[in-house]
Amino acid sequence: MNDSNKEYRSRMSKNGLITLAVVAVLLVILIAVNLVASALPADVKNIDMTDNKMYSVTDSTKRELAKTDTAVNIYLICQGGEAALADTGVHLDVFLDNLAAVSNKITYTLIDPLVKTDFLAKYDFGTDVSDLSVIVESPLRTRLIKAS
């Protein structure tokens, strides 16, 4: 009985090690897939599944963007940053990511005015800036698009 008990424990230890190895390999694969997916450009990883393609950049917009030589900075103002934006249910950031992915002249940045307290001071918008407002800035002009 003693020998069969040792044999049983040996078999269980071997099975446990095999299970542990399989779990470790699966974890490494999962992490690798996640790293590859996060490195994909926005136009590949942000697939617009809405009926009216609400978050997609149209072909005519792509053509117009290809013609411009002007750098454009787009700032989405959201108190609380990404976490607060996710809580709003507004997916404007997805569209702005897609827009920036279409042209290397466009940059998009999410601004939390509670963290970057001096950011809005360089603009003369007064109290017109509210949560989910967008600032579009180029060398020619700067425009505020208020959240509605």
Side-chain angles (χ1 to χ4, degrees), residues 99-115:
L99 192 63
V102 169
S103 172
N104 61 355
K105 298 291 183 186
I106 296 177
T107 59
Y108 155 65
T109 308
L110 178 64
I111 300 292
D112 181 352
L114 300 175
V115 174

Side-chain angles (χ1 to χ4, degrees), residues 115-132:
V115 174
K116 294 186 177 185
T117 55
D118 60 336
F119 178 79
L120 293 174
K122 65 182 176 180
Y123 301 103
D124 188 28
F125 296 132
T127 59
D128 288 344
V129 180
S130 61
D131 217 23
L132 301 179

Side-chain angles (χ1 to χ4, degrees), residues 1-147:
M1 180 116 175
N2 196 13
D3 285 340
S4 67
N5 215 4
K6 285 183 182 177
E7 186 179 320
Y8 174 76
R9 287 185 183 175
S10 175
R11 229 180 306 136
M12 291 303 289
S13 294
K14 185 178 177 183
N15 287 342
L17 287 174
I18 291 172
T19 303
L20 183 63
V22 168
V23 168
V25 167
L26 289 176
L27 187 61
V28 167
I29 290 171
L30 181 66
I31 290 170
V33 167
N34 191 21
L35 288 173
V36 169
S38 67
L40 292 172
D43 59 338
V44 174
K45 66 181 174 183
N46 292 338
I47 299 172
D48 189 355
M49 304 278 290
T50 58
D51 290 338
N52 59 354
K53 300 296 181 198
M54 191 161 73
Y55 305 113
S56 296
V57 180
T58 64
D59 290 337
S60 62
T61 301
K62 289 176 185 177
R63 284 192 297 274
E64 291 300 315
L65 289 174
K67 294 178 192 176
T68 188
D69 294 333
T70 306
V72 177
N73 299 315
I74 302 173
Y75 304 103
L76 175 58
I77 309 301
C78 183
Q79 290 185 14
E82 288 183 26
L85 185 61
D87 289 344
T88 65
V90 175
H91 301 290
L92 183 57
D93 58 323
V94 174
F95 174 74
L96 294 175
D97 270 339
N98 289 339
L99 192 63
V102 169
S103 172
N104 61 355
K105 298 291 183 186
I106 296 177
T107 59
Y108 155 65
T109 308
L110 178 64
I111 300 292
D112 181 352
L114 300 175
V115 174
K116 294 186 177 185
T117 55
D118 60 336
F119 178 79
L120 293 174
K122 65 182 176 180
Y123 301 103
D124 188 28
F125 296 132
T127 59
D128 288 344
V129 180
S130 61
D131 217 23
L132 301 179
S133 291
V134 176
I135 297 172
V136 181
E137 176 184 64
S138 76
L140 304 173
R141 65 178 161 232
T142 300
R143 187 151 312 209
L144 172 67
I145 303 169
K146 295 181 191 178

